[in-house]
């Protein structure tokens, strides 16, 4: 699928990796609908380019909000070529922490945003994509999900986060298989450590420890490197049904 003039929906598109995708789509003359809870950042994006960006305040945990947002997205965009699920939270915490065992609500919140929120977006986007005219190659749309290397080697304190991201990686193939007859591809990116607001919240010590674990390049990833892979996934129709690590060869240690 061509990336120029793409019509995209990005959850979590107001910050970090999602914002980089938003910028890249806009840079290629496309249009974007951003679903995010970050109202100020979302409004600012829309005010800067009102003909090309629509911000819809959306909590991805709420199915009806995502469904409504996707209907508004289709009205604004005409069709949806790409949906990228970037909304997420880090949800760190030990199961047996200093303040006692982790409350179930913490675990459920992390799963609710990272995994069920991703499912809501995928379902609503694919539902609209299936009614669209396919391109010359039979493609109706592309879905890109965001897991994490923590799906495969989560650290101590990442039980909830790893469970949520393992779920995202795990649903990639069955979704791709199910949507194959519709000409909708499904891919997941598992980033290593990227320079975003999520990581900015960590202490310098943790950030340095993480960066030093990356074999090469020994630095945190740049959000635009994530967006570059999203672009490649859109353009390369053979990519389907798998998770790509984007991580400088990091294999995270227990802590
Ligand atoms: N930064 C990293 O190193 C890294 C590594 C691996 C995976 N990831 C994943 O990448 C994705 C993007 O993270 P980021 O680093 O860009 O973080 P970020 O905090 O910069 O962006 C996340 C965005 O998601 C939005 N969001 C949070 N909860 C939401 C909700 N309930 N509904 C709608 N929007 C919501 C936030 O407002 C924010 O704009 C996340 O899924 C994260 O788990 C990030």
């Amino acid at each position: 699928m061509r990336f120029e003039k793409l019509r995209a929906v990005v959850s979590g598109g107001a910050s970090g990796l999602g914002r980089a995708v938003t910028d890249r789509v806009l840079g290629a003359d496309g249009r974007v609908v951003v679903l995010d809870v970050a109202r100020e950042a979302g409004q600012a994006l829309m005010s800067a380019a009102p003909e090309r960006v629509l911000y819809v305040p959306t909590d991805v945990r709420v199915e009806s909000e995502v469904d409504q947002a996707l209907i508004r997205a289709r009205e604004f965009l005409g069709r949806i070529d790409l949906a990228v699920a970037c909304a997420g939270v880090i949800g760190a915490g030990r199961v047996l922490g200093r303040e006692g065992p982790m409350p179930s609500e913490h675990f459920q919140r992390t799963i609710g945003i990272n995994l069920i929120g991703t499912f809501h977006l995928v379902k609503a986007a694919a539902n609209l994509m299936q009614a669209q005219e396919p391109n010359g190659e039979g493609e109706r749309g592309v879905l890109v999900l965001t897991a994490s290397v923590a799906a495969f080697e989560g650290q101590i304190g990442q039980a909830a986060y790893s469970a949520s991201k393992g779920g995202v990686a795990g649903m990639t193939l069955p979704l791709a298989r199910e949507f194959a007859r519709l000409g909708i591809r499904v891919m997941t990116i598992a980033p290593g450590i990227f320079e975003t607001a999520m990581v900015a919240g960590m202490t310098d010590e943790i950030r340095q420890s993480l960066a030093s674990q990356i074999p090469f390049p020994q630095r945190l990833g740049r959000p635009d490197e994530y967006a570059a892979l999203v672009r490649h996934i859109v353009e390369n129709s053979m990519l389907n049904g798998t998770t790509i690590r984007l991580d400088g060869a990091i294999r995270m240690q227990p802590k």
Side-chain angles (χ1 to χ4, degrees):
M1 183 175 285
R2 277 172 62 89
F3 194 80
E4 283 75 25
K5 298 195 190 307
L6 201 77
R7 284 156 285 188
V9 174
V10 186
S11 76
S15 172
L17 305 184
R19 172 66 197 264
V21 174
T22 298
D23 290 345
R24 195 166 265 257
V25 171
L26 293 176
D29 227 6
R31 289 193 291 154
V32 186
V33 174
V34 171
L35 280 49
D36 205 302
V37 288
R39 285 175 185 257
E40 223 170 279
Q43 293 289 353
L45 261 171
M46 186 162 70
S47 309
E51 305 87 44
R52 298 175 59 211
V53 179
L54 174 70
Y55 166 61
V56 186
T58 312
D59 185 334
V60 293
R61 284 175 291 184
V62 185
E63 188 176 28
S64 57
E65 286 189 21
V66 178
D67 288 347
Q68 284 303 316
L70 266 287
I71 289 168
R72 286 189 61 194
R74 192 185 44 188
E75 281 164 14
F76 181 75
L77 299 170
R79 61 177 283 143
I80 299 167
D81 302 310
L82 169 70
V84 186
C86 278
V89 291
I90 199 150
R94 290 179 184 236
V95 175
L96 302 179
R98 258 185 226 124
E99 280 107 52
M102 176 190 287
S104 171
E105 295 77 52
H106 177 84
F107 195 89
Q108 288 184 25
R109 178 174 185 271
T110 308
I111 298 285
I113 297 173
N114 295 356
L115 177 56
I116 301 177
T118 297
F119 164 71
H120 288 157
L121 181 74
V122 160
K123 176 182 60 147
N127 183 40
L128 296 179
M129 283 173 175
Q130 69 173 334
Q132 298 178 166
E133 278 300 306
N135 70 9
E137 292 217 313
E139 271 198 274
R140 287 191 169 82
V142 180
L143 305 170
V144 179
L145 323 185
T146 310
S148 163
V149 293
F152 311 110
E153 63 266 0
Q155 298 188 293
I156 291 169
Q158 289 195 307
Y161 186 71
S162 293
S164 71
K165 296 302 188 176
V168 171
M171 70 179 167
T172 307
L173 181 61
L175 287 170
R177 285 174 162 170
E178 181 180 340
F179 298 160
R181 67 179 179 85
L182 304 172
I184 298 169
R185 290 187 289 121
V186 186
M187 283 293 294
T188 291
I189 299 174
I193 322 291
F194 276 66
E195 194 80 61
T196 69
M198 189 173 276
V199 171
M202 297 175 179
T203 63
D204 279 351
E205 197 188 342
I206 294 175
R207 284 160 55 90
Q208 273 160 20
S209 147
L210 288 171
S212 70
Q213 289 178 38
I214 305 171
F216 187 84
Q218 211 167 76
R219 60 167 172 80
L220 303 192
R222 300 177 185 123
D224 193 51
E225 292 167 329
Y226 172 93
L229 182 54
V230 172
R231 178 174 182 147
H232 183 73
I233 288 169
V234 168
E235 292 177 332
N236 191 332
S237 302
M238 281 307 285
L239 285 170
N240 195 11
T242 197
T243 297
I244 300 178
R245 294 181 68 121
L246 186 66
D247 66 0
I250 194 173
R251 299 293 179 270
M252 292 204 299
Q253 297 305 303
K255 55 183 175 181

